[in-house]
Amino acid sequence: MGVLAVLFSNTINSLENALKTSNIQQKVISNNIANADTPGYKAKKVSFQNVLSSEMDSMKATRTDQRHYEFTNASSAGAVIKNKNSSYHPNGNSVDIDQEMSDLAKNQIQYNALVDRLNGKFKSLQTVLTGGR
């Protein structure tokens, strides 16, 4: 395997997908914060477990030994789901602003870490292409 093949490994694709995920979470959290005072608004959350389950359902797997775990199918919906928790406010709104702000900060830290890692990958690529100069 050549040097460029290693640099263009799945790592960059994985980091790109993680950044997309973080971007979706940012939009959902921001929307919840923007609607914190909207009567009847139900906070939304991002759940990629549903997407993972859906992808796993599409995989074909054969149990080759009785001691192996069985493969089960669990149906799922989309990535963004409505939070059906009880209302936090008398107006029927379910946004917990403290939780949303905490989630926002956590997501921002994760996003920044992903960007730093992606920048490191591109710097490595630049070093290889320029011969270390």
Side-chain angles (χ1 to χ4, degrees):
M1 181 182 286
V3 174
L4 289 178
V6 171
L7 289 173
F8 287 114
S9 67
N10 287 334
T11 305
I12 291 177
N13 289 336
S14 296
L15 290 169
E16 181 184 7
N17 289 334
L19 284 170
K20 287 178 184 178
T21 299
S22 184
N23 186 38
I24 292 169
Q25 289 174 331
Q26 179 78 14
K27 289 177 182 179
V28 170
I29 294 168
S30 296
N31 192 42
N32 286 343
I33 292 170
N35 285 291
D37 294 326
T38 303
Y41 178 81
K42 299 298 179 196
K44 295 178 183 175
K45 68 177 186 173
V46 178
S47 174
F48 289 97
Q49 182 64 36
N50 296 342
V51 176
L52 177 62
S53 295
S54 175
E55 290 298 318
M56 289 179 67
D57 288 346
S58 68
M59 292 175 20
K60 301 291 182 201
T62 304
R63 188 172 170 201
T64 58
D65 189 299
Q66 68 181 4
R67 294 172 292 178
H68 294 166
Y69 287 110
E70 288 192 45
F71 299 98
T72 59
N73 292 330
S75 62
S76 62
V80 178
I81 59 172
K82 263 193 177 179
N83 189 351
K84 300 289 184 181
N85 290 342
S86 60
S87 299
Y88 293 107
H89 307 284
N91 65 4
N93 188 303
S94 69
V95 175
D96 179 355
I97 195 68
D98 293 330
Q99 182 64 48
E100 297 297 331
M101 295 302 286
S102 173
D103 291 346
L104 185 68
K106 179 181 170 185
N107 189 61
Q108 188 63 46
I109 291 168
Q110 181 178 2
Y111 183 88
N112 289 341
L114 289 167
V115 168
D116 287 345
R117 185 66 189 115
L118 192 57
N119 283 336
K121 282 300 235 182
F122 286 129
K123 285 180 184 177
S124 296
L125 180 59
Q126 183 179 18
T127 300
V128 169
L129 293 175
T130 60
R133 292 180 233 147

